Amino acid sequence: MAELRVVVVGAGGRMGRALIRAVADESRMRLVGALERPGSAVLGMDAGTLAGIEPLGVAVTDHASDLFDGADAVLDFTSPAATLAYAELAGTRGLVHVIGTTGIEAQDEETLRLASHGARIVKSGNMSLGVNLLAGLVRQAAAALGPDFDLEILEMHHRHKVDAPSGTALLLGEAAAEGREIALGQHSVRVRDGHTGPRERGTIGFATLRGGSVVGDHMVVLAGEGERIELTHRAENRTIFARGAVRAALWAHEQKPGLYSMADVLGLST
Ligand SMILES: NC(=O)C1=CN([C@@H]2O[C@H](COP(=O)(O)OP(=O)(O)OC[C@H]3O[C@@H](n4cnc5c(N)ncnc54)[C@H](OP(=O)(O)O)[C@@H]3O)[C@@H](O)[C@H]2O)C=CC1
Ligand SMILES: O=C(O)C1=N[C@H](C(=O)O)C[C@H](O)C1
């Protein structure tokens, strides 16, 4: 198989730099482009140097169309607005588009669905193997225990994170809701403040913590009368997400256009 030609968008970001290192480490891929937004301070820099490795001979640019024309796959951990625009571009060119960006609103999912008529999109709030396995455990536990066990999802991330609850917390919430055969949107409690009254049976609660340099911690608590189960994942670095994105791109290249999840990539779909 020829090397997959990959563009990393948001190249100067925390995930962008981890993605550049992961692509450089993968013999079945070649970095052909590094994209940043117009006006970014890192435009013109070598992508390898930016990522803290050897120079790769790829300068960071803001010319999305030119880069997409010469690519097979785009790895995108940026912002919702940027990702929606890149999905449309990837769709017109039939590219693989791996989307790690979180905080995309439900009403914008339609844009991704339309783009996936042309593009092979893999989208997940968390690209790590561990979290996707955890989602299966949460689904199973929620189904087995039912609403007698109160379900709460706690997450903590670094002080720079801009969206809440995290994409992972929502992914785990969806897994729990699937296990209980309910719709998450109608049963989630995302904020508590003041005189809230007692907990409503059958709801799924979210709690958000932000601080320091925490890469990403998630805990799902199933609290019953007299006992409690806690299912936890702690990300120790961003390589786990970047490695997952690389795996997703290689997998998606062999698929038909469509909208896929990380569970599809890992063969964990129910
Ligand atoms: N699914 C998963 O496994 C994971 C998902 N994430 C998600 O990935 C996203 C990025 O996270 P993180 O790397 O920490 O954030 P950063 O803010 O560090 O990186 C985002 C980068 O995207 C750049 N950017 C913004 N707009 C554009 C544009 N139009 N074109 C090109 N680049 C653009 C930003 O530039 P500038 O700063 O100049 O605006 C920045 O360099 C978040 O949504 C986060 O939740 C993170 C980790 C794992
Ligand atoms: O913004 C982050 O950093 C992360 N975002 C993802 C999320 O919203 O869940 C994944 C990971 O936890 C890191």
Side-chain angles (χ1 to χ4, degrees):
M1 189 181 97
E3 286 172 326
L4 202 70
R5 298 168 301 166
V6 176
V7 171
V8 170
V9 306
R14 284 173 286 275
M15 276 307 300
R17 283 171 281 150
L19 290 163
I20 291 168
R21 292 192 292 274
V23 171
D25 265 358
E26 172 53 64
S27 60
R28 291 167 290 175
M29 285 185 166
R30 183 161 51 90
L31 187 78
V32 295
L35 190 64
E36 259 297 340
R37 60 172 180 78
S40 165
V42 303
L43 292 178
M45 267 187 85
D46 183 273
T49 309
L50 178 62
I53 56 175
E54 71 286 356
L56 296 173
V58 173
V60 180
T61 85
D62 58 2
H63 301 145
S65 297
D66 294 347
L67 288 187
F68 281 34
D69 282 343
D72 301 304
V74 177
L75 307 183
D76 180 350
F77 289 60
T78 54
S79 69
T83 293
L84 293 173
Y86 292 136
E88 286 179 339
L89 218 51
T92 58
R93 287 157 176 81
L95 303 184
V96 168
H97 189 191
V98 177
I99 300 177
T101 307
T102 56
I104 297 174
E105 300 290 344
Q107 69 264 20
D108 292 326
E109 296 288 337
E110 180 61 11
T111 303
L112 299 182
R113 209 186 53 74
L114 288 174
S116 75
H117 292 158
R120 294 144 178 82
I121 298 181
V122 180
K123 176 174 175 284
S124 176
N126 196 303
M127 298 271 170
S128 75
L129 177 60
V131 158
N132 285 282
L133 282 172
L134 177 64
L137 299 176
V138 169
R139 190 179 301 109
Q140 199 184 338
L145 298 172
D148 284 347
F149 277 67
D150 298 325
L151 223 151
E152 295 283 315
I153 302 176
L154 284 69
E155 54 114 334
M156 181 158 186
H157 283 85
H158 53 92
R159 61 168 70 104
H160 305 287
K161 186 162 179 62
V162 294
D163 56 308
S166 70
T168 310
L170 293 171
L171 179 159
L172 295 170
E174 289 291 354
E178 277 168 36
R180 284 191 177 169
E181 300 182 352
I182 56 172
L184 179 63
Q186 287 158 27
H187 293 85
S188 65
V189 176
R190 291 170 58 150
V191 180
R192 290 189 184 102
D193 186 25
H195 184 81
T196 60
R199 192 182 196 284
E200 191 185 333
R201 180 181 157 83
T203 51
I204 297 178
F206 290 86
T208 301
L209 285 76
R210 293 286 177 267
S213 57
V214 177
V215 175
D217 289 354
H218 293 89
M219 185 196 284
V220 178
V221 182
L222 295 114
E225 275 298 326
E227 59 180 333
R228 189 162 76 239
I229 297 170
E230 298 175 349
L231 299 168
T232 301
H233 179 271
R234 294 186 201 284
E236 293 174 0
N237 56 55
R238 292 183 172 84
T239 308
I240 58 169
F241 311 128
R243 221 189 284 133
V246 161
R247 183 167 174 173
L250 291 166
W251 177 87
H253 188 53
E254 306 300 320
Q255 312 303 317
K256 298 189 303 238
L259 186 51
Y260 301 98
S261 70
M262 208 52 200
D264 296 321
V265 174
L266 298 170
L268 300 170
S269 295
T270 49

